[in-house]
Amino acid sequence: MAGRIVLFGATGYTGELAARELAGIGERPVLAARSEARVRALADQLGGLDWAVADVRRPASVSALVERGDVLVSCVGPFARWGAPAVEAALGAGATYLDSTGETPFIRDVFSVYGPRAAEAGCALVTAMGYDWVPGNLAGALALREAGEGATAVAIGYFLLGGGGAGAMSGGTRASAAGVFLEPSFAWRGGRMVTERPGARVRTFDVDGQARKGISAGSSEHFGLPGSFPGLRDVDVYLGWFGGASDALRVFSAGLAVATRLPAVRSVLGEVVARGVKGSSGGPNADERAKSGSLVVAEASDDSGRVLSRVRLAGVNGYDYTAGMLAWGAHAAANGRVLGVGALGPVAAFGLDALCEGSRSAGIERDQ
């Protein structure tokens, strides 16, 4: 018998997209949010789904949502600020956990802090189960599998297609992205995890004959891919959303890293982000989302830097993809198709071939 799916944060922008996607594939998730009126209305719209009221400021209300065998999907962010109660609820119940975060500090905490506890509890935590950062895990794993044992490094670039750009982000995404620049980042370098500032490096990728730059970012690929490919010594992930501004952002991140060493500066900037969170809501509508798409490129190399394999994935915008992957992952988890316990990258959690199918169903697949 399949377990229950509980969607926490169902009335937020990403949460509602995920709720509608789950209902569209025939699931009947329990919808949970802090506003009774809003969650009740959404549950009614989607066919009379069960619903519950829960608020991260009352962690017991979040813990009450789940029990062993359930799948808890969290869309409550920014996760560095509000994400812990949902993870703690899953750990306490022994439930499978998925989330929509893309935030570097929270991803690191899931793998480094919560992961060992999940292994002891016999449950799985799959963080960043959306556009941030499933496509890169998938493209990187495909490139590494095709390159064979000689591959020791992988470089992954995320690019936008069509219109919109960073301006098409939801309010919550912008708030999360701003918060990430206030915290140290990380990378898998020389066979170990190292701390580095956000945007420490810039790399150029050849995309359809054009040189496109990306700026480095900490992501779940740094944790997930070495676990699946033990010979991997270097993982580099780059965001190519900023085009020619990538070099300027690298310089800006260096200055910000110095400034935020001062507690007073960090406190002031943190308050600015917090105010942005309070005022952030909504996001691009369906027509706006349809104007943009996604492209992810991965290159696997050997010790000499020779590229052994290239993989390219393309498809829909990040929001529709995130909703689709959360729905697919929750359905798979509820039907017992998670392959391990502890904190898992998406490849380790579902297997590479299954993840390819899931990504295709969510709208991003290999295009060459």
Side-chain angles (χ1 to χ4, degrees):
M1 180 178 177
R4 294 188 314 156
I5 297 171
V6 180
L7 176 60
F8 182 40
T11 59
Y13 179 74
T14 299
E16 183 172 339
L17 290 177
R20 294 185 182 281
E21 191 71 25
L22 281 162
I25 63 172
E27 292 289 349
R28 295 188 60 82
V30 178
L31 305 185
R34 64 181 178 177
S35 168
E36 178 176 342
R38 292 180 63 190
V39 73
R40 183 199 292 268
L42 181 60
D44 288 344
Q45 288 178 28
L46 297 180
L49 300 177
D50 290 338
W51 56 272
V53 174
D55 190 333
V56 291
R57 296 177 182 85
R58 295 183 290 107
S61 69
V62 184
S63 296
L65 294 173
V66 289
E67 56 190 38
R68 182 167 290 277
D70 288 345
V71 178
L72 177 60
V73 180
S74 178
C75 296
V76 178
F79 284 79
R81 187 176 180 90
W82 305 121
V87 184
E88 292 287 358
L91 290 171
T96 302
Y97 168 90
L98 288 76
D99 68 41
S100 61
T101 192
E103 298 170 39
T104 296
F106 189 77
I107 290 167
R108 178 171 47 205
D109 284 349
V110 169
F111 279 96
S112 301
V113 178
Y114 298 116
R117 292 174 55 193
E120 292 180 3
C123 62
L125 309 178
V126 188
T127 189
M129 190 59 190
Y131 182 71
D132 304 341
W133 301 90
V134 173
N137 276 276
L138 177 56
L142 288 171
L144 289 164
R145 182 168 72 177
E146 293 174 7
E149 295 183 358
T152 58
V154 65
I156 298 160
Y158 284 78
F159 302 93
L160 297 178
L161 299 175
M169 294 180 181
S170 71
T173 300
R174 289 193 296 270
S176 295
V180 164
F181 271 93
L182 303 182
E183 301 293 339
S185 186
F186 54 80
W188 185 255
R189 311 288 293 171
R192 64 189 182 93
M193 198 66 68
V194 299
T195 297
E196 63 177 31
R197 62 179 172 81
R201 287 164 283 111
V202 171
R203 176 190 168 108
T204 300
F205 291 80
D206 183 344
V207 179
D208 296 330
Q210 294 184 330
R212 297 185 63 174
K213 288 184 176 181
I215 187 167
S216 62
S219 65
S220 70
E221 286 95 327
H222 298 287
F223 285 98
L225 289 175
S228 296
F229 298 90
L232 192 54
R233 295 186 55 76
D234 296 295
V235 177
D236 290 303
V237 179
Y238 299 87
L239 295 179
W241 304 344
F242 310 104
S246 296
D247 289 309
L249 278 173
R250 181 177 61 83
V251 174
F252 169 76
S253 75
L256 190 61
V258 172
T260 53
R261 291 175 188 168
L262 300 175
V265 174
R266 180 185 292 272
S267 177
V268 169
L269 292 175
E271 285 301 315
V272 170
V273 171
R275 287 197 296 271
V277 172
K278 291 178 182 178
S280 64
S281 62
N285 61 34
D287 289 340
E288 292 168 335
R289 296 197 304 271
K291 295 175 183 177
S292 64
S294 305
L295 174 66
V296 179
V297 179
E299 298 178 350
S301 307
D302 62 15
D303 282 337
S304 69
R306 180 170 61 100
V307 175
L308 304 177
S309 177
R310 290 184 177 88
V311 168
R312 167 177 155 148
L313 307 179
V316 300
N317 69 88
Y319 291 111
D320 288 331
Y321 182 80
T322 294
M325 284 309 299
L326 286 172
W328 177 84
H331 172 80
N335 285 276
R337 299 208 299 270
V338 174
L339 303 179
V341 297
L344 304 171
V347 175
F350 299 104
L352 182 51
D353 293 330
L355 192 65
C356 284
E357 291 301 318
S359 185
R360 183 179 296 113
S361 73
I364 291 181
E365 60 183 317
R366 190 166 187 173
D367 74 342
Q368 62 174 247

